Amino acid sequence: HPANSCARILEKMRSIACISLLLVPTGAFSSLNMLYGVPNSKWSSREWNWGSAIGTGHDCALICRNKWSNQETRQNLVDALVTDNDGTLTALLDDDSLDELKLILGLCWQRGRWDGTDGGRGGYGEVLSYMADCKYETWFDCDDGTAAKRELLSDMSERFHLISKSEDETASIMELKDDDDIDASVRKCAGRVLNNMEFVVSGL
């Protein structure tokens, strides 16, 4: 099937990019890979080391947890994501808002593995593994990130029924996959996921 062939080609390109990244001198992508002003701080960065106590992932996680330690601020974020309020999101999130949002989701899913709010087997812990494997990263200047965002949206929305408290809400999440505004759809879906995983009450 043509769609499956394209998916396999894209996966091979990403694998090649991951291998190539190991050959690039440290700091070569510093101007691009910065979250919270920390150099080489994206999921695709060699120094990220997700799950380790040493690395830019750990450094950014500390900043992130501290930034979102206030329940009112977390509620404001969820409200802004669900309604796609650009003004509020710009004020709340880091300049590279999608990368911060992915980190927030990652930390929430990590907590969900411990407290059971991630949907259990096949739930958002699985999406976290995909994220750590750089499934939702872009690698080339010609890549606008749309394909990676669609994959993130698909993986989040397809598991939403595992944590949803409402069939109507689950149906509305599934409809986001048909929306042409992929950025807004990712934000809205992320907001619903965070809300249903008790992000506002329990934090990161």
Side-chain angles (χ1 to χ4, degrees):
H1 191 280
N4 291 335
S5 297
C6 289
R8 284 195 295 270
I9 291 171
L10 181 59
E11 190 61 36
K12 284 183 179 180
M13 291 174 69
R14 284 180 177 159
S15 296
I16 293 171
C18 283
I19 294 171
S20 300
L21 198 63
L22 298 176
L23 305 177
V24 177
T26 300
F29 296 118
S30 294
S31 61
L32 298 175
N33 295 356
M34 290 185 69
L35 178 61
Y36 301 138
V38 178
N40 301 304
S41 56
K42 289 194 177 184
W43 291 87
S44 56
S45 300
R46 196 171 41 169
E47 295 83 357
W48 185 251
N49 291 334
W50 180 257
S52 170
I54 300 174
T56 57
H58 178 71
D59 297 340
C60 288
L62 289 176
I63 297 171
C64 187
R65 286 193 174 100
N66 183 63
K67 177 177 177 179
W68 301 104
S69 60
N70 180 272
Q71 184 171 339
E72 182 180 356
T73 305
R74 295 195 298 272
Q75 183 67 67
N76 290 339
L77 175 62
V78 167
D79 291 344
L81 287 168
V82 169
T83 59
D84 196 37
N85 187 322
D86 281 337
T88 303
L89 288 172
T90 299
L92 288 173
L93 291 170
D94 190 70
D95 288 340
D96 205 336
S97 59
L98 180 59
D99 282 318
E100 181 172 17
L101 182 56
K102 286 190 291 189
L103 178 57
I104 293 169
L105 287 166
L107 291 171
C108 189
W109 295 336
Q110 187 180 64
R111 172 182 55 76
R113 283 176 165 177
W114 292 100
D115 64 17
T117 58
D118 69 338
R121 179 176 296 182
Y124 289 96
E126 190 172 84
V127 186
L128 175 58
S129 296
Y130 294 154
M131 188 176 285
D133 288 339
C134 303
K135 182 178 181 180
Y136 313 118
E137 299 303 296
T138 55
W139 301 98
F140 309 104
D141 291 339
C142 59
D143 186 349
D144 64 359
T146 298
K149 292 172 190 174
R150 289 209 175 278
E151 289 199 69
L152 176 59
L153 175 62
S154 178
D155 286 344
M156 287 196 296
S157 60
E158 288 175 1
R159 291 163 175 80
F160 190 75
H161 69 281
L162 296 173
I163 62 170
S164 178
K165 302 174 180 65
S166 162
E167 290 185 5
D168 289 340
E169 187 177 27
T170 299
S172 68
I173 288 296
M174 296 307 294
E175 290 174 0
L176 290 175
K177 295 201 297 184
D178 298 322
D179 197 319
D180 291 333
D181 190 341
I182 183 62
D183 293 301
S185 294
V186 168
R187 290 190 289 265
K188 291 175 182 178
C189 186
R192 294 292 184 185
V193 169
L194 290 171
N195 191 51
N196 279 270
M197 286 187 65
E198 308 297 338
F199 166 70
V200 174
V201 175
S202 301
L204 298 173

